[in-house]
Amino acid sequence: MKLGARILKTGIAITLALFLSHIFDLPSPVFAGIAAIFALQPTVYRSYQSIIEHIQGNLIGAATAVLFVMAFGNSIFIIGLAAVLVITLNLKLKLENTISLSLVTLIAIMETPGDDFIQFALIRFSTIMLGVVSAFIVNLVFLPPKYENKLYYKSSILSEEITKWIRLSTRHASEHQLLKADIEKLREGIIKLDQLYMMYKEERDYFKNNPLAKSRKLVIYRQMITTVKKSLETLKRLHRYENEFNQLPVEFQEVIQHQLDCLINHHEQVMLKYVGKVRPEASYIEGDVCLNKEQLFELFLAQRSELAQNNSQMLYHVMQLVSIIMEYGEQVEHLDTLVTSFQSYHKDDSNVTMDQNTEI
């Protein structure tokens, strides 16, 4: 079990909320701890948005609680009716993320009205807001997230897994059902990669140091993700048309195998170039040079008549396979261009700090 930064920050936020509650001698400090749990966010930018939303949501919960208690009392049915109204108001104001904490505020205020109900409501509201502020402070100061490291590491892991399967597939060594299950896992990994990209983008909006280099990094990571997606599409196409690929002439199978090996190696080199393990000016020189789009397409056209005679449907499927390989090659080349340009102008800003304990 790995103790991640999110777990540590949650514990620190709860501790800080409870500590501040005791410092200010607030009753029921547990509500501050609960609020800190709800308010903690994965990025500083989201934490800033969250504190604004939670102020609004808690005001709705507190105001509704005060009005209902003063007008109707605090029976269990009244509390339930007030909860419905709080949820409705939050949804109308597009504050869906604050519904849970708004309900906590509502119940905390309505549970024990007394002679000094207004004062009691203000104290409970302040206690909950103290928890929200504590979560914001922790997110701002303690263990700031390193989403760039996570983003690069996740991209590398997915690329390695996909290219491993591509190599196996072109050599007729992949197990069909196992690959099918792994493709689904890789698809879920791509979704998480997109989420990491959005978090990294939000953090970039918060930090203002060297905005030009960071803007170019954003473009590179977007292209990095696009290239990984295109490699997964290539693997899907190989898996889907496995039988058609096996029926191709041996010479043409070898051409496709060579082209994919070449693109995979190029892709791996570009990823290493970004972290400074390959010189920026280095061009792809390992093995034979990859075929360009025109050469690959001409080789496909040379096989067209033979494929059409055997099976017209097979020709259509092979054409789809060749087209996705060409698209994958275009994305790798574009990523190479972006990384080379970035390394040339922002060499000091390009290194990613890799850690074996990087949490993804």
Side-chain angles (χ1 to χ4, degrees):
M1 178 180 177
K2 182 166 60 176
L3 190 63
R6 182 65 184 261
I7 299 174
L8 288 174
K9 287 200 295 186
T10 301
I12 295 171
I14 293 172
T15 302
L16 180 61
L18 296 176
F19 175 74
L20 292 178
S21 296
H22 286 296
I23 290 294
F24 293 111
D25 197 25
L26 296 174
S28 303
V30 65
F31 289 111
I34 294 172
I37 297 172
F38 283 113
L40 198 65
Q41 298 294 321
T43 70
V44 177
Y45 180 73
R46 291 190 187 183
S47 187
Y48 172 75
Q49 286 185 317
S50 174
I51 195 171
I52 301 300
E53 292 177 351
H54 278 116
I55 289 174
Q56 300 175 63
N58 287 334
L59 282 173
I60 292 172
T64 303
V66 170
L67 291 174
F68 267 70
V69 169
M70 295 182 69
F72 309 109
N74 71 326
S75 70
I76 55 175
F77 300 105
I78 296 300
I79 293 176
L81 182 61
V84 172
L85 179 60
V86 166
I87 294 172
T88 303
L89 290 174
N90 276 275
L91 291 175
K92 284 288 185 180
L93 296 174
K94 298 182 179 180
L95 298 172
E96 294 88 350
N97 296 329
T98 68
I99 289 176
S100 298
L101 198 53
S102 295
L103 292 176
V104 170
T105 303
L106 177 82
I107 296 171
I109 292 174
M110 294 187 72
E111 62 165 343
T112 53
D115 296 334
D116 299 323
F117 174 63
I118 298 299
Q119 183 180 357
F120 171 80
L122 288 173
I123 292 174
R124 281 290 168 90
F125 174 78
S126 301
T127 303
I128 292 172
M129 286 309 306
L130 184 63
V132 174
V133 173
S134 299
F136 177 74
I137 293 173
V138 168
N139 218 50
L140 186 65
V141 177
F142 295 94
L143 302 171
K146 298 179 180 178
Y147 286 110
E148 181 178 4
N149 289 352
K150 296 180 182 181
L151 187 56
Y152 177 83
Y153 185 72
K154 185 71 173 177
S155 299
S156 297
I157 292 296
L158 286 172
S159 296
E160 290 173 7
E161 188 69 16
I162 293 169
T163 53
K164 177 191 71 177
W165 277 115
I166 290 177
R167 286 191 174 102
L168 290 173
S169 296
T170 55
R171 288 162 175 78
H172 317 295
S174 61
E175 202 285 318
H176 189 82
Q177 292 301 322
L178 184 59
L179 175 54
K180 182 178 180 181
D182 245 27
I183 285 176
E184 181 60 27
K185 292 179 182 178
L186 290 168
R187 188 188 66 81
E188 294 173 358
I190 294 290
I191 294 174
K192 293 179 180 178
L193 190 61
D194 283 327
Q195 294 171 349
L196 280 175
Y197 175 79
M198 291 305 299
M199 292 179 185
Y200 176 58
K201 182 179 179 181
E202 290 170 0
E203 288 296 344
R204 290 163 52 82
D205 290 338
Y206 180 80
F207 297 107
K208 299 299 183 180
N209 296 329
N210 201 354
L212 178 59
K214 291 181 179 179
S215 296
R216 296 189 73 174
K217 274 188 176 184
L218 190 60
V219 174
I220 288 175
Y221 280 113
R222 185 174 60 210
Q223 179 60 31
M224 199 178 287
I225 295 171
T226 300
T227 306
V228 173
K229 289 179 178 179
K230 196 60 65 175
S231 67
L232 180 59
E233 289 179 26
T234 303
L235 176 60
K236 287 180 179 178
R237 205 72 60 89
L238 277 170
H239 179 255
R240 181 176 180 182
Y241 301 132
E242 179 182 4
N243 292 333
E244 287 83 348
F245 178 72
N246 293 337
Q247 295 173 26
L248 290 174
V250 176
E251 297 80 5
F252 194 53
Q253 287 187 40
E254 291 176 350
V255 168
I256 292 178
Q257 177 185 319
H258 166 78
Q259 183 69 4
L260 284 171
D261 284 348
C262 187
L263 292 176
I264 287 169
N265 290 334
H266 191 182
H267 190 179
E268 291 171 343
Q269 186 192 49
V270 174
M271 296 295 289
L272 292 174
K273 181 186 293 188
Y274 182 69
V275 293
K277 294 184 178 181
V278 176
R279 297 191 311 274
E281 66 276 8
S283 59
Y284 181 68
I285 57 175
E286 181 180 343
D288 297 331
V289 178
C290 299
L291 300 174
N292 58 37
K293 292 184 295 184
E294 291 77 10
Q295 291 171 326
L296 182 60
F297 189 63
E298 287 174 2
L299 287 172
F300 167 72
L301 291 179
Q303 303 290 327
R304 183 179 59 179
S305 58
E306 182 178 348
L307 294 174
Q309 289 176 0
N310 295 333
N311 189 335
S312 59
Q313 193 71 15
M314 180 178 176
L315 173 64
Y316 173 70
H317 292 163
V318 174
M319 181 177 66
Q320 292 186 64
L321 179 58
V322 171
S323 67
I324 196 64
I325 293 173
M326 293 166 63
E327 291 176 22
Y328 177 33
E330 288 179 348
Q331 298 303 332
V332 173
E333 291 174 3
H334 185 46
L335 179 61
D336 193 0
T337 301
L338 292 174
V339 170
T340 301
S341 175
F342 181 85
Q343 291 280 7
S344 300
Y345 293 99
H346 306 283
K347 187 174 183 180
D348 295 335
D349 298 302
S350 58
N351 290 335
V352 176
T353 304
M354 295 306 299
D355 185 350
Q356 291 181 349
N357 296 323
T358 299
E359 180 186 358
I360 59 175

